[in-house]
């Protein structure tokens, strides 16, 4: 079992500090150094976090249950749940890589024994302040449960043996004590952190007119719905209503289709049914609730519109902009298919229904679960990742799929990516391509994605400024314009370690960090370009794979101060069919030698 990864530990500590520390009982010993007190507060807050997630209680109630401090006898939190009549006793360990060890378990075991015997004399003030509540809980509870949340990789055998001995100690004479410890692991912590950023499933009722049903092979209802009912769902549920769609709302004025939707609704709402293709939705469960006055009521769980998002969202935008617009007569055909989210059939339906529309291959990245995992991780860091096409915000905290693909491509050692960025960018966004899979593996973290984009933005901004300052129609200007992906790729290699850190880079500090080495790289690119571009223009040269491979290798050797490296001549002569791309060993060697900033 893996320990909590550094980037998730950073997020967890931020959540602990902001959401739980302010509600904790005061520290009893404030004579310790500030850094030690801060670490202690986070450790205490971890107990509250675990209670909050495991029992679904408020952060304030969870924090009030913490008794962790000096002389806590190994018990970090005590919480009584009246509904289940369960008394929860927690011992937590907030360490990035350490196991939960015997020296952690033994004090906990001793504290549990003292608590069960109601021998409270040796406990700290936080515990004694709750003495009467704890005594009352011990008297009323039907269950006593031990919980061990930890962020390390495992529970040591000696710790497990100590807990097992406690739970099977007949001398305690306490049959209410559960015989199994509940562990709250790193994987569950990550699950719960990401769940905060997930869209909640849409559960609602649908009123279907002129309905019909298909039972086999998939339960399907189709019929007519009032557009106003779908607009109400849009207002209430937002993006969650389109979670399994390939796109969100693109904006009412972004396409002729969306403009036409608005025009029809405004001028002839009764004709809308005949002029619109209708709406398709999938769901996890459909329950029939009867028919009244020809209207079939359906209880639907896990509803998601997979085709028709622009119809519903454009109509909602029109009503919001023009509250006096009456669309009561507007209706649409709705097809509702039972296709649970964990069933691949739902994705097939989404693809098939959307191939009829003008979509790009990259739009189907929206069906990649890995993209949703990244969106949630990025959201924990305070950024918004738009991997579905939508009307994008232009602020610095927003990241588009296209921008992510460009930044991740610039990190690759394979020089073909710099060529593809210029000549075939669409292949990088195809979820079925090997290139896409290489750029977005399941091991890619949200913080690495954010850092790559922030570095990529800073580099491109400076390279564009070089081009703008160069003389009009000069070769220098054209070299900067068409070699921008090569320049960016070389500089990104010098930022590899910073991109892979567990925390988000300070975006404001990046230009100062890279400006001087990037200016050197600019000059080296121009000098090399003048030597190479004697009979060929920059546009065609930097679209040619062979040319870019050679240029990139020589530029890295120059910029990384490796031209005299005795290994290079041998590597330059190695070019075998077994390699994934030409000059792979040479380029991998040079990339690995990039001096880090």
């Amino acid at each position: 079992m893996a320990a909590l990864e550094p980037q998730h530990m950073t997020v967890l500590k931020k959540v602990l500090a902001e959401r739980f520390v302010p509600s904790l009982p005061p520290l009893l010993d404030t004579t310790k150094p500030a850094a030690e007190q801060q670490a202690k507060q986070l450790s205490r807050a971890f107990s509250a976090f675990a209670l909050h997630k495991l029992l679904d209680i408020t952060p304030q109630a969870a924090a009030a249950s913490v008794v962790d401090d000096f002389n806590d006898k190994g018990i970090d939190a005590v919480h009584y749940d009246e509904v289940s009549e369960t008394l929860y006793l927690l011992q937590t360990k907030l360490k990035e890589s350490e196991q939960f060890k015997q020296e952690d378990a033994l004090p906990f075991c001793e504290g549990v024994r003292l608590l069960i015997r109601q021998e409270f004399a040796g406990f700290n003030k936080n515990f004694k302040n709750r003495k009467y509540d704890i005594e009352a809980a011990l008297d009323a509870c039907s269950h006593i449960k031990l919980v061990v949340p930890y962020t390390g990789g495992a529970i040591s055998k000696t710790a497990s043996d100590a807990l097992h001995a406690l739970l099977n100690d007949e001398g305690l004479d306490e049959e209410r004590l559960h015989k199994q410890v509940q562990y709250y692991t790193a994987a569950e912590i990550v699950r719960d952190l990401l769940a905060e950023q997930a869209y909640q499933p849409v559960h609602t009722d649908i009123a279907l007119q002129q309905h019909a049903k298909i039972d086999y092979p998939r339960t399907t209802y189709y019929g007519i719905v009032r557009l106003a009912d779908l607009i109400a769902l849009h207002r209430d549920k937002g993006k969650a209503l389109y979670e399994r769609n390939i796109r969100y709302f693109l904006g009412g004025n972004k396409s002729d289709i969306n403009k036409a939707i608005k025009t029809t609704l405004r001028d002839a709402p009764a004709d809308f049914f005949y002029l619109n293709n209708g709406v398709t939705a999938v769901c996890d469960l459909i329950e029939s609730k009867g028919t009244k006055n020809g209207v079939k009521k359906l209880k639907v769980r896990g509803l998601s519109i997979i085709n028709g998002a622009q119809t519903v969202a454009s109509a909602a935008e029109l009503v919001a902009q023009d509250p006096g617009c009456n669309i009561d007569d507007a209706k649409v055909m709705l097809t509702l298919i039972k296709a649970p989210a964990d069933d691949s059939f739902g994705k097939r339906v989404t693809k098939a229904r959307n191939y009829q529309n003008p979509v790009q291959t990259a739009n189907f990245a929206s069906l990649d679960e890995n993209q949703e995992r990244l969106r949630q991780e990025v959201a924990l860091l305070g950024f918004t990742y738009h991997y579905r096409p939508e009307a994008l915000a232009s602020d610095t905290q927003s990241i588009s799929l296209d921008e992510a693909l460009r930044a991740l491509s610039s990190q690759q050692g394979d020089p073909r990516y710099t060529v593809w960025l210029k000549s075939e960018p669409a292949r990088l966004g195809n979820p079925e391509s090997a290139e896409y899979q290489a750029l977005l593996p399941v091991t890619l973290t949200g913080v690495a994605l954010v850092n790559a984009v922030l570095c990529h933005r800073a580099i491109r901004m400076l390279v564009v400024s070089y081009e703008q300052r160069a003389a009009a129609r000069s070769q220098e200007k054209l070299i900067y314009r068409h070699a921008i992906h090569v320049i960016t790729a070389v500089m990104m290699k010098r930022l590899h370690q910073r991109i892979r850190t567990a925390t988000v880079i300070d975006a404001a500090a990046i230009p100062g960090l890279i400006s001087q080495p990037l200016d050197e790289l600019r000059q080296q690119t121009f000098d090399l370009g003048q030597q190479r571009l004697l009979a060929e223009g920059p546009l065609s040269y930097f679209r040619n794979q062979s040319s870019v491979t050679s240029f990139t290798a020589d530029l890295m050797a120059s910029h990384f101060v490796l031209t005299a490296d005795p290994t290079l001549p041998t590597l330059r002569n190695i070019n075998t069919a077994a390699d994934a791309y030409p000059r792979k060993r040479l380029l991998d060697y040079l990339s690995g030698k990039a001096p880090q900033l």
Side-chain angles (χ1 to χ4, degrees):
M1 185 179 297
L4 193 66
E5 295 182 0
Q7 68 272 12
H8 293 135
M9 178 64 81
T10 299
V11 171
L12 174 61
K13 287 183 176 180
K14 183 174 184 290
V15 169
L16 296 179
E18 294 177 354
R19 199 181 306 171
F20 296 93
V21 168
S23 300
L24 289 172
L27 271 174
L28 298 177
D29 185 354
T30 57
T31 63
K32 304 286 185 182
E36 190 173 334
Q37 289 190 52
Q38 182 181 21
K40 184 63 175 177
Q41 288 288 68
L42 292 177
S43 177
R44 300 170 78 214
F46 182 43
S47 298
F49 174 86
L51 283 170
H52 166 62
K53 293 301 183 184
L54 291 172
L55 304 181
D56 195 25
I57 60 177
T58 67
Q60 293 74 24
S65 299
V66 173
V67 296
D68 180 20
D69 213 304
F70 305 98
N71 297 319
D72 54 30
K73 298 299 179 182
I75 297 178
D76 293 333
V78 180
H79 181 81
Y80 180 58
D81 179 55
E82 293 184 358
V83 176
S84 63
E85 297 183 350
T86 302
L87 181 63
Y88 291 91
L89 307 177
L90 276 71
Q91 161 74 307
T92 62
K93 188 174 182 67
L94 185 68
K95 296 289 185 181
E96 293 191 24
S97 57
E98 290 185 18
Q99 290 183 333
F100 185 84
K101 300 178 181 178
Q102 184 182 44
E103 53 261 40
D104 303 307
L106 290 177
F108 184 41
C109 293
E110 181 58 25
V112 171
R113 287 188 171 94
L114 292 172
L115 184 145
I116 289 174
R117 294 197 296 263
Q118 300 192 37
E119 298 175 5
F120 301 143
F123 284 92
N124 64 30
K125 184 179 178 182
N126 287 334
F127 192 99
K128 290 177 180 177
N129 286 341
R130 298 181 54 208
K131 175 183 175 183
Y132 297 112
D133 291 337
I134 293 171
E135 287 177 337
L138 277 169
D139 184 57
C141 74
S142 300
H143 313 279
I144 300 174
K145 197 165 192 176
L146 307 188
V147 183
V148 177
Y150 65 100
T151 56
I155 302 290
S156 73
K157 186 178 185 306
T158 52
S160 178
D161 289 345
L163 292 168
H164 180 76
L166 168 69
L167 297 177
N168 292 277
D169 185 354
E170 295 182 359
L172 275 178
D173 192 26
E174 181 52 81
E175 62 184 24
R176 297 174 300 176
L177 188 61
H178 277 224
K179 298 303 181 183
Q180 294 290 331
V181 177
Q182 181 176 357
Y183 295 107
Y184 185 55
T185 67
E188 292 164 319
I189 293 167
V190 173
R191 177 202 64 196
D192 290 341
L193 285 172
L194 294 182
E196 293 185 0
Q197 306 302 325
Y199 296 115
Q200 296 303 306
V202 174
H203 305 323
T204 188
D205 292 335
I206 297 290
L208 204 58
Q209 305 171 29
Q210 304 293 322
H211 68 278
K213 180 186 179 184
I214 299 172
D215 289 307
Y216 181 83
R218 296 275 173 172
T219 300
T220 303
Y221 284 87
Y222 58 93
I224 301 170
V225 295
R226 297 173 65 246
L227 185 57
D229 291 344
L230 297 181
I231 291 173
L233 267 177
H234 171 92
R235 288 174 175 167
D236 183 39
K237 304 300 183 181
K239 288 183 178 179
L241 184 59
Y242 311 102
E243 179 54 18
R244 293 164 67 183
N245 204 325
I246 64 168
R247 297 182 290 197
Y248 291 133
F249 184 41
L250 300 176
N253 298 316
K254 294 295 184 181
S255 73
D256 292 338
I257 293 175
N258 290 351
K259 292 177 184 177
I261 288 171
K262 287 187 170 184
T263 299
T264 302
L265 285 173
R266 185 183 293 112
D267 299 338
D271 294 341
F272 190 79
F273 175 81
Y274 305 100
L275 303 176
N276 186 267
N277 288 333
V279 174
T280 303
V282 292
C283 62
D284 296 331
L285 181 67
I286 312 173
E287 294 181 6
S288 175
K289 291 300 180 182
T291 304
K292 185 177 181 180
N293 297 326
V295 178
K296 182 72 172 179
K297 184 179 180 182
L298 302 172
K299 184 176 182 180
V300 182
R301 299 183 66 83
L303 176 70
S304 182
I305 292 175
I306 61 169
N307 186 257
Q310 308 312 307
T311 294
V312 179
S314 293
E317 186 177 71
L318 170 65
V319 172
Q321 294 171 347
D322 185 3
C325 180
N326 187 340
I327 65 165
D328 289 345
D329 292 336
K331 299 176 181 179
V332 294
M333 175 65 74
L334 173 68
T335 302
L336 180 59
I337 305 168
K338 182 182 177 183
D342 58 359
D343 186 340
S344 62
F345 180 78
K347 291 183 180 180
R348 288 171 55 200
V349 174
T350 301
K351 285 186 176 182
R353 294 272 172 159
N354 283 281
Y355 269 133
Q356 303 165 25
N357 300 326
V359 298
Q360 298 177 355
T361 304
N363 294 166
F364 293 109
S366 305
L367 303 179
D368 181 2
E369 289 91 346
N370 193 37
Q371 291 280 11
E372 175 58 16
R373 189 263 308 171
L374 285 169
R375 184 196 68 77
Q376 293 173 13
E377 288 193 13
V378 167
L380 285 171
L381 303 170
F383 290 78
T384 305
Y385 178 39
H386 303 273
Y387 68 90
R388 282 183 172 88
E390 58 182 304
L392 296 180
S394 58
D395 60 277
T396 57
Q397 300 300 106
S398 295
I399 298 170
S400 69
L401 173 61
D402 180 68
E403 187 177 25
L405 290 171
R406 289 176 177 273
L408 295 171
S409 293
S410 297
Q411 288 187 272
Q412 300 299 307
D414 186 344
R416 293 177 298 176
Y417 280 88
T418 59
V419 177
W420 292 328
L421 280 171
K422 192 164 188 65
S423 60
E424 298 180 77
R427 75 187 296 163
L428 304 178
N430 181 357
E432 297 181 359
S433 72
E435 293 77 31
Y436 174 95
Q437 298 296 331
L439 293 176
L440 291 153
V442 294
T443 54
L444 177 66
T445 65
V447 68
L449 174 59
V450 170
N451 285 341
V453 168
L454 294 179
C455 291
H456 186 263
R457 284 177 181 174
I459 295 168
R460 285 184 62 84
M461 181 182 68
L462 288 174
V463 176
V464 169
S465 73
Y466 300 153
E467 179 194 338
Q468 292 172 340
R469 292 198 300 267
R473 295 185 294 279
S474 66
Q475 186 187 49
E476 180 182 15
K477 190 180 199 68
L478 292 175
I479 288 175
Y480 298 151
R481 177 181 302 171
H482 297 297
I484 187 169
H485 298 309
V486 175
I487 296 172
T488 304
V490 173
M491 185 52 60
M492 287 286 277
K493 290 170 176 56
R494 299 196 63 181
L495 295 165
H496 177 77
Q497 290 181 1
R498 290 184 180 271
I499 289 171
R500 293 296 173 178
T501 56
T503 56
V504 175
I505 300 173
D506 179 6
I510 301 173
L513 177 70
I514 67 173
S515 59
Q516 187 269 333
L518 188 60
D519 189 58
E520 292 179 0
L521 180 59
R522 172 202 62 78
Q523 186 63 52
Q524 291 163 337
T525 303
F526 177 53
D527 293 342
L528 186 59
Q530 284 187 309
Q531 297 173 25
R532 299 291 177 84
L533 299 169
L534 299 177
E536 190 174 5
L539 173 59
S540 60
Y541 184 88
F542 287 105
R543 291 174 68 115
N544 181 279
Q545 180 181 318
S546 177
S547 299
V548 168
T549 298
S550 174
F551 190 96
T552 302
D554 288 346
L555 184 60
M556 283 199 290
S558 174
H559 186 63
F560 299 162
V561 196
L562 296 171
T563 52
D565 189 318
T567 308
L568 294 189
T570 301
L571 292 175
R572 288 184 190 278
N573 291 323
I574 298 176
N575 189 24
T576 66
D579 289 337
Y581 50 86
R583 308 295 179 192
K584 181 181 187 301
R585 300 181 197 187
L586 171 63
L587 291 161
D588 285 352
Y589 179 79
L590 290 167
S591 297
K593 292 290 186 178
Q596 296 299 293
L597 295 173

